[in-house]
Amino acid sequence: MTDTEMGQAAGRAILAPSIHNTQPWRFVITRGSLELHADPHRQLRVLDPRGRQLMISCGCALFNARVALAAAGYDAVVERFPDPAQPNLLARVTLPVETSHGSTISHLNAAIDRRRTNRRPFFTRAVPPDVLQLLGAAASAEAAELFTIDRPEHRLATARLSRQADTAELTDPAYRAELRAWTTTDPHRGDGVLASTVAHVDAGASGDLPLRDFDTSGRGWLPVDTRSDHDQCLLVLGTLDDDRMAWLRAGEALERVWLELTRLGYVASLLTQVVEVAQTHELLRLELGLTMHPHLLMRVGQAPDTPSSPRRALIDVIESPELSRTPSRPS
């Protein structure tokens, strides 16, 4: 496999989801390897002071690279945190000598282009148990756990704690300023959350599970009624440990789950406020009886299509001697 083909895998990697669409990653292709580096300049210092969401975002990108290489016939070899002297070097991907025809993730490659963060109102259709079982197995395959919130008291507690966390964050002027910085109507900007993909928020806003209020200047295009309710399909993804390795693996698990549900015709949006506020994070563990550390709350269902998010140009995020300067298509 040439460096050009590695560059193609990196091009698939950058289509991954990231917190506020910050795309906090950088890829280096050298001597037959693909390195994933965190970009600390893109960390959300108010929302994510520990860097957990940054690490999860990078884990999603790493999984996309693995899928792309699997689709090319390679079962990639991944060294996570290969050099303690380089803390921002999160993973080094190399290839085995021979191609493999038994990859369990190559079928997800087409879903990379179709995956979206969908904040539109979901249809009132239940997610079947066999789909939930498949998603749980996908998370387990990446050293994570997926907890289905199905008991009424757990649903009510999750909604209550989510509203509490959302209120706590919105009352912080620094948090609101950070939101404004990462929300945009500029069609030429390569990062941030587009106003066309978020709900317009005013006094008529509804939904007992609050979506993040990106509509900081009243420019959201989607309907006020988000229909984000506690009786929808809600999943908590987490890991037994709560460190950088666990966060990176959680990102890989998240993307595997997201690509699987996309492949099956479902959509998702993330509700992470409840795990971002320390108090509600611990209360969620307690009230749901979780032994794992929850890293995100996911809403899964079916909804109309939503626009793709912008992406930075390949040349800005990938270092490679053979890289074309053609920008990547957004996803």
Side-chain angles (χ1 to χ4, degrees):
M1 174 159 291
T2 67
D3 285 355
T4 297
E5 290 169 309
M6 278 292 202
Q8 291 171 351
R12 304 294 280 163
I14 68 171
L15 300 180
S18 59
I19 184 73
H20 291 16
N21 195 28
T22 50
Q23 302 166 55
W25 45 61
R26 185 172 59 86
F27 290 89
V28 177
I29 301 168
T30 178
R31 295 187 298 277
S33 70
L34 175 64
E35 292 183 350
L36 167 62
H37 296 253
D39 185 346
H41 300 293
R42 290 180 165 267
Q43 181 177 342
L44 300 174
R45 300 295 174 179
V46 179
L47 181 149
D48 188 32
R50 298 175 66 198
R52 175 174 56 189
Q53 297 298 337
L54 178 148
M55 203 66 56
I56 290 174
S57 301
C58 289
C60 289
L62 175 59
F63 186 76
N64 273 10
R66 289 170 51 199
V67 169
L69 293 173
Y74 292 91
D75 187 8
V77 177
V78 181
E79 294 179 86
R80 298 171 181 85
F81 302 99
D83 185 355
Q86 300 184 69
N88 289 325
L89 174 55
L90 307 185
R92 180 178 292 122
V93 181
T94 55
L95 301 172
V97 176
E98 298 180 356
T99 58
S100 170
H101 302 288
S103 173
T104 59
I105 59 174
S106 59
H107 66 290
L108 298 174
N109 191 45
I112 292 175
D113 297 297
R114 305 198 323 269
R115 185 214 57 80
R116 301 284 189 271
T117 298
N118 197 313
R119 302 178 182 89
R120 291 182 179 275
F122 283 14
F123 301 132
T124 55
R125 300 170 188 165
V127 179
D130 60 325
V131 173
L132 295 177
Q133 184 176 5
L134 184 149
L135 299 182
S140 297
E142 301 299 326
E145 297 182 14
L146 198 64
F147 178 86
T148 301
I149 302 177
D150 50 12
R151 292 170 57 177
E153 63 270 28
H154 286 172
R155 290 177 175 275
L156 290 171
T158 301
R160 171 173 48 81
L161 293 172
S162 293
R163 292 192 300 270
Q164 181 180 333
D166 192 59
T167 298
E169 291 187 326
L170 288 174
T171 55
D172 182 353
Y175 171 84
R176 297 286 292 175
E178 194 171 66
L179 273 182
R180 287 193 297 272
W182 287 99
T183 308
T184 182
T185 57
D186 181 0
H188 303 294
R189 180 170 166 176
D191 57 11
V193 178
L194 289 171
S196 60
T197 66
V198 303
H200 176 70
V201 177
D202 60 19
S206 63
D208 54 15
L209 266 171
L211 301 184
R212 197 185 301 279
D213 180 11
F214 284 103
D215 190 30
T216 56
S217 57
R219 296 179 295 179
W221 290 15
L222 298 188
V224 171
D225 183 7
T226 63
R227 285 185 237 156
S228 176
D229 301 315
H230 71 271
D231 59 353
Q232 295 176 338
C233 178
L234 300 174
L235 308 173
V236 179
L237 187 142
T239 54
L240 292 179
D241 295 322
D242 191 30
D243 54 23
R244 297 176 84 230
M245 176 66 81
W247 301 339
L248 188 67
R249 294 312 313 269
E252 293 177 81
L254 169 61
E255 186 68 342
R256 184 162 184 165
V257 168
W258 210 328
L259 293 181
E260 286 285 8
L261 67 88
T262 299
R263 180 180 66 87
L264 296 172
Y266 294 90
V267 300
S269 59
L270 302 185
L271 308 159
T272 56
Q273 300 98 307
V274 69
V275 299
E276 292 161 2
V277 176
Q279 182 180 15
T280 55
H281 178 278
E282 291 308 309
L283 287 173
L284 185 71
R285 289 188 75 193
L286 177 65
E287 299 210 25
L288 300 189
L290 302 176
T291 56
M292 66 178 181
H293 294 274
H295 299 315
L296 57 93
L297 175 65
M298 174 180 272
R299 181 176 68 130
V300 176
Q302 293 179 309
D305 290 339
T306 195
S308 60
S309 299
R311 284 295 182 270
R312 301 161 68 196
L314 292 179
I315 197 67
D316 294 331
V317 292
I318 304 175
E319 297 179 22
S320 170
E322 299 181 19
L323 179 65
S324 167
R325 290 179 176 267
T326 303
S328 171
R329 293 181 61 190
S331 171

